[in-house]
Amino acid sequence: MRRMIDKGLEGLLVFLMAFLVVDVLWQVVSRYVLVSPSSVTDELAGYLLIWVGLLGAAYVAGKNEHLAIDLLPRYLPPRKERALRLFIYLVVFLFAVSVLMVGGTWLVYTRFRLGVTSASLEINLGYVYLALPLSGCLTAYYAADNARALFRSSNP
């Protein structure tokens, strides 16, 4: 199951990144070559960056390649290092659930409920903020799965 999620997320991130590059390229061409700047490209680039940033953060957290200060674990004995890593996975899981999933879902709900739309694209901002609970679900899943794998490796 994890490989399917990884591959799907990788594909989505590649698509979003490619779309972001094309969008910004069109923004530059329309502004400097055609001397008629597009009104939607700047807003779209910001929204795409939100999605790439949040989903990318979930992806690298799942791969354990996120930015981390690993000075302390290096000097701990293996048993304490495992306990520290489990604690970190727990904190990440709790953050993902409480802030990203619960808070993000509330933000999405209120944007849809209030009918808040973007200025140029005129899309409901709930669609933009859907990246928060989706990223939270993925981050929580990865934290739980990483903790499970670490726990299994320490208990034969």
Side-chain angles (χ1 to χ4, degrees):
M1 170 123 167
R2 181 165 176 148
R3 264 188 247 137
M4 278 182 20
I5 293 172
D6 285 346
K7 288 294 179 193
L9 190 53
E10 285 172 13
L12 180 60
L13 284 167
V14 167
F15 171 77
L16 290 174
M17 214 37 216
F19 195 38
L20 178 60
V21 168
V22 169
D23 176 61
V24 171
L25 182 64
W26 177 248
Q27 184 178 24
V28 170
V29 168
S30 69
R31 178 170 291 154
Y32 295 109
V33 176
L34 303 176
V35 193
S36 176
S38 176
S39 62
V40 299
T41 53
D42 187 43
E43 192 172 281
L44 181 59
Y47 297 154
L48 287 170
L49 196 57
I50 290 170
W51 276 78
V52 168
L54 288 168
L55 294 179
Y59 179 74
V60 296
K63 296 285 186 184
N64 279 321
E65 294 177 359
H66 54 289
L67 182 64
I69 299 171
D70 60 352
L71 188 63
L72 181 61
R74 283 192 220 167
Y75 296 106
L76 292 176
R79 188 176 173 120
K80 288 186 178 181
E81 180 187 353
R82 255 185 260 109
L84 177 63
R85 292 196 188 281
L86 284 172
F87 175 73
I88 291 169
Y89 290 139
L90 176 65
V91 170
V92 168
F93 179 84
L94 292 173
F95 174 82
V97 170
S98 63
V99 174
L100 296 174
M101 288 174 64
V102 173
T105 300
W106 177 251
L107 184 63
V108 170
Y109 171 75
T110 57
R111 297 312 94 171
F112 278 123
R113 186 83 171 139
L114 296 174
V116 179
T117 58
S118 66
S120 294
L121 293 170
E122 296 181 9
I123 61 168
N124 193 303
L125 288 179
Y127 294 115
V128 175
Y129 297 134
L130 272 173
L132 284 164
L134 181 58
S135 174
C137 287
L138 290 167
T139 302
Y141 167 76
Y142 283 134
D145 194 53
N146 288 342
R148 180 193 56 80
L150 183 64
F151 188 73
R152 279 196 176 162
S153 71
S154 64
N155 293 329

